[in-house]
Amino acid sequence: MKGLFITFEGPEGSGKSTQIKLLRQFLAERGHDVVTTREPGGTAAGDRIRSVLLDKDCGSLEPETELFLMLAQRSEHLKKVILPALKAGKTVLCDRYFDSSMAYQGYARGLGIERVRSVHEAFLPGFLPDLTVLLRIAPEVGLERARHGGAKQLDRMESEAIDFHRKVLAGYDLVAAEESDRFVIVEADGQPEKMADRIAAEISRRFEELS
Ligand code: TYD
């Protein structure tokens, strides 16, 4: 059985981790060998880079610095974790990936979506996912969820102004419109189980197309 590379994207608090857990269960019950991972992170070095990216003590970083750190951790992650797993026939579910760089650094930070795409094409052959689930949520609602009712301190990215988070959502919408075949778009304000059913149905259809 050939595996698929599936990424989950969305603004802060869009409920990606719940959906990844539910999809993992669904696929495992149907005999798929599933690996779940996340960005920034996914490797020991990637996790260290993650702490720089998310640590509020690092203050504001230059947009290019942010992009290059994202690319650095992605290079490790892609070559050492994602591609080997796919080669072994596994399905990879990744919490954030390339489209986060497009929406956050390319659009919201203003580096340019096309420039972010071209740097990936130049340095990371085979980087594109087979399928991307975009969980859309209004930034105000998502940030409130990310705060867990005040129980969780917001990280460096989450602490950005609301305008930044609005741009992130607009960036995702642009990218998804450009590559509509790769994207499954889900409004993330509904019941998690209903959303999971829709995602599972779409992904089963893609697996059928492959076999
Ligand atoms: P994380 O805690 O994983 O966010 P969430 O729980 O919402 O998924 O933090 C990752 C943060 O890094 C998030 O704010 C998005 C940002 N990010 C980028 O800006 N560019 C990228 O390429 C990636 C992978 C993440």
Side-chain angles (χ1 to χ4, degrees):
M1 193 149 50
K2 187 185 177 302
L4 283 181
F5 178 21
I6 303 169
T7 59
F8 281 73
E9 296 283 357
E12 313 298 330
S14 51
K16 290 179 278 92
S17 34
T18 305
Q19 291 305 322
I20 289 173
K21 211 162 70 190
L22 293 170
L23 182 63
R24 183 196 175 107
Q25 217 173 329
F26 173 87
L27 291 173
E29 280 163 8
R30 280 152 189 82
H32 294 272
D33 199 347
V34 183
V35 172
T36 55
T37 184
R38 70 163 179 188
E39 287 202 0
T43 65
D47 278 333
R48 302 248 180 123
I49 297 173
R50 176 186 176 90
S51 10
V52 173
L53 281 160
L54 299 187
D55 189 346
K56 267 171 130 176
D57 289 346
C58 291
S60 80
L61 295 174
E62 296 304 318
E64 297 79 4
T65 308
E66 224 175 72
L67 175 65
F68 295 151
L69 289 174
M70 292 298 176
L71 281 164
Q73 63 81 34
R74 184 158 305 133
S75 172
E76 288 299 303
H77 192 207
L78 180 67
K79 290 179 189 160
K80 298 204 168 111
V81 176
I82 298 171
L83 293 177
L86 293 171
K87 211 166 158 205
K90 297 178 183 174
T91 281
V92 177
L93 306 184
C94 189
D95 188 341
R96 294 198 182 280
Y97 183 68
F98 158 66
D99 299 294
S100 283
S101 299
M102 299 280 269
Y104 282 76
Q105 283 69 50
Y107 193 74
R109 296 279 192 227
L111 289 177
I113 281 182
E114 282 320 311
R115 284 167 87 209
V116 171
R117 187 194 303 282
S118 67
V119 83
H120 279 79
E121 284 168 354
F123 290 104
L124 297 178
F127 72 96
L128 263 189
D130 295 301
L131 200 76
T132 298
V133 179
L134 171 59
L135 299 174
R136 290 188 83 257
I137 190 89
E140 293 81 358
V141 179
L143 283 169
E144 200 42 51
R145 276 195 200 163
R147 267 188 207 103
H148 292 287
K152 189 183 163 268
Q153 286 262 342
L154 296 187
D155 65 34
R156 200 183 64 84
M157 302 294 288
E158 289 164 338
S159 309
E160 287 289 342
I162 191 75
D163 261 9
F164 175 80
H165 294 290
R166 290 199 182 109
K167 281 192 200 153
V168 167
L169 181 61
Y172 273 128
D173 284 343
L174 277 174
V175 173
E178 274 176 16
E179 282 186 79
S180 54
D181 282 354
R182 177 162 66 83
F183 276 87
V184 177
I185 301 173
V186 179
E187 297 301 327
D189 51 4
Q191 277 186 349
E193 293 74 19
K194 282 212 175 118
M195 287 157 53
D197 287 348
R198 158 106 213 275
I199 294 168
E202 191 63 38
I203 278 156
S204 304
R205 199 174 64 75
R206 304 283 172 125
F207 268 110
E208 271 166 32
E209 278 173 11
L210 265 185
S211 57

